[in-house]
Amino acid sequence: MNLILFGFKGSGKTHFGKLLSIEMHRPFIDTDDLASELFTKETGKKRNAKQISEELGEPGFRALETRTLELLQNVQNSIIALGGGAVLKPENVELLQKIGQLVFLKAAPGKIKERMFKGDLPSFLDKKDPEGSFWKMIQEREPIYRSIPARSVDTDVLDEPGVLAALKSIFLLEEPHLGL
């Protein structure tokens, strides 16, 4: 069984995913890194997820993301962190539900904004109106995230050990126990 973390950029998917993988001795997979590897394999060009998104545009990046998720079909017992837009396509959600337990990492919009605006702006925000495009993105994605059948962990309410304990308990509850 895989534990699949989704939510907004800045909600802690990669951070908590890496920590949980260490604590539970499970492989960690970041789908943005996997998409970068696939892009390099297909094009011969080495790019990170942001650069790929800028080069291909949103539709091209989403297509690459779907091909990336298809590579996960035989993955077992891993902690997987998704890019923020991976669950926007219903067919991606269907595929992910077959390979593991989805967990929505929730964080307050203000906290997400603070984290997103710290460094380089993500490619999906409008450089001319980052504030407006941020709030538009929140309004578009939040209902989609909430509609996905998934467990959820609020990263604002719990401290780091609390988030890890919640994720670990979800993993252990969902993991099939052989011989029972």
Side-chain angles (χ1 to χ4, degrees):
M1 200 270 316
N2 299 303
L3 195 67
I4 305 166
L5 308 177
F6 74 95
F8 291 102
K9 178 176 178 60
S11 62
K13 302 176 302 277
T14 299
H15 175 76
F16 291 114
K18 284 180 178 178
L19 292 176
L20 186 65
S21 76
I22 292 165
E23 190 172 310
M24 297 197 66
H25 308 287
R26 308 281 181 175
F28 174 73
I29 300 168
D30 185 308
T31 61
D32 281 346
D33 293 343
L34 203 55
S36 296
E37 291 171 21
L38 181 59
F39 182 80
T40 301
K41 185 177 176 185
E42 292 178 352
T43 67
K45 297 186 273 186
K46 191 165 177 61
R47 305 275 190 277
N48 64 32
K50 181 181 179 186
Q51 293 165 329
I52 296 167
S53 181
E54 289 169 349
E55 186 171 322
L56 300 180
E58 174 110 11
F61 183 78
R62 293 293 166 228
L64 174 67
E65 194 168 52
T66 296
R67 292 195 309 278
T68 301
L69 297 179
E70 290 167 354
L71 298 173
L72 299 174
Q73 291 184 65
N74 296 317
V75 169
Q76 291 293 318
N77 298 315
S78 295
I79 312 297
I80 301 168
L82 301 177
V87 294
L88 300 179
K89 292 170 73 174
E91 58 268 29
N92 288 351
V93 174
E94 284 179 36
L95 183 143
L96 292 164
Q97 288 173 321
K98 291 176 186 171
I99 64 167
Q101 174 61 52
L102 288 159
V103 179
F104 175 25
L105 289 188
K106 296 192 272 184
K111 195 61 101 173
I112 294 165
K113 181 180 169 222
E114 178 185 314
R115 292 173 184 156
M116 266 192 213
F117 283 59
K118 261 187 185 165
D120 288 341
L121 285 178
S123 58
F124 56 83
L125 292 181
D126 182 348
K127 307 297 181 250
K128 294 175 186 159
D129 183 17
E131 181 89 19
S133 62
F134 170 80
W135 290 108
K136 182 178 184 229
M137 183 260 322
I138 293 286
Q139 290 173 337
E140 290 172 352
R141 290 186 182 186
E142 183 134 17
I144 295 169
Y145 290 166
R146 290 186 183 281
S147 73
I148 295 169
R151 305 279 187 156
S152 65
V153 175
D154 192 328
T155 61
D156 289 336
V157 173
L158 300 170
D159 60 5
E160 189 173 275
V163 171
L164 289 172
L167 291 172
K168 188 174 181 180
S169 70
I170 292 168
F171 194 99
L172 294 173
L173 284 171
E174 296 297 331
E175 189 170 44
H177 298 284
L178 301 173
L180 294 180

